[in-house]
Amino acid sequence: MSISMNLAQIHQQIQQISVQYHRSNVRLLAVSKTKPVQAIEEAVAAGQTAFGENYVQEAVEKIEYFANRNDLEWHFIGPLQSNKTKLVATHFDWIQTVDRLKIAERLNVQRPQEKAPLNVLIQINISDEESKSGIEPEEMLPLAKAISQLPNLKLRGLMAIPKPESEPEQQKIALCKMQQLFHRLQAEFDGIDTLSMGMSDDMAAAIECGSTMVRIGTAIFGARDYSH
Ligand SMILES: *Cc1c(COP(=O)(O)O)cnc(C)c1O
């Protein structure tokens, strides 16, 4: 199937699930990591404007390729090392994986003044895995408070990559914990409107638990090839 047909199908699924669970305005982030600019061009031609990338150098080349398209929105969704913050601050519109104040402070200083504030999601380690990415839920409010004081960043919400589960009831345990954290954040801060969760295999459960942005790669662009 073509990229435009895949996109149409996913939009239809999002629409159906949203009606079922009384949700609206669920956005689709097209995860284009490892995919060539031609694939992104096809998605853009089909009306997709928001793209997620994981690898800074690869992403910057693509963003520069599309420099004349100022309607596109680029989200950094990979782990970020402090020596790469400047590239993210310079080129991206969003970063979804902030989990340390030090990274946020560097992004704040490095964000070019002529650009709008960088939109930030705090990544939560919701399945309590050994994984290095994401903060513990108890750390959310103090980190959010610190980020909210940085003028070149705009805190928009939360992101999570829960441990993969095959059954929706199991998926919903972590996803609905995220929904509670999101509500707590919204109660404390203005402008919190984005809960980024849900991938190809848990999209329905994520929308049921209040996701406002699903991140889909394979189902749009096909399987990724990491061989080179
Ligand atoms: C790669 C990736 C996705 C997309 O995964 P697919 O299984 O290809 O849909 C979503 N979120 C993050 C953070 C990713 O790294």
Side-chain angles (χ1 to χ4, degrees), residues 29 31 33 54 77-78 96-97 123 159-161 198-201 215-220 222 224 226:
L29 183 72
V31 178
K33 62 180 177 226
N54 295 54
I77 62 172
Q96 299 203 0
T97 51
Q123 184 177 358
M159 177 270 208
I161 311 171
M199 301 173 34
S200 301
D201 293 330
R215 308 180 307 262
I216 309 290
T218 308
I220 298 173
R224 285 179 290 274
Y226 287 105

Side-chain angles (χ1 to χ4, degrees), residues 126-127 162 170-179 197:
I126 198 63
S127 306
Q170 290 300 314
Q171 294 171 346
K172 275 163 50 182
I173 295 172
L175 295 166
C176 290
K177 278 191 211 159
M178 284 300 298
Q179 181 172 36
M197 60 186 195

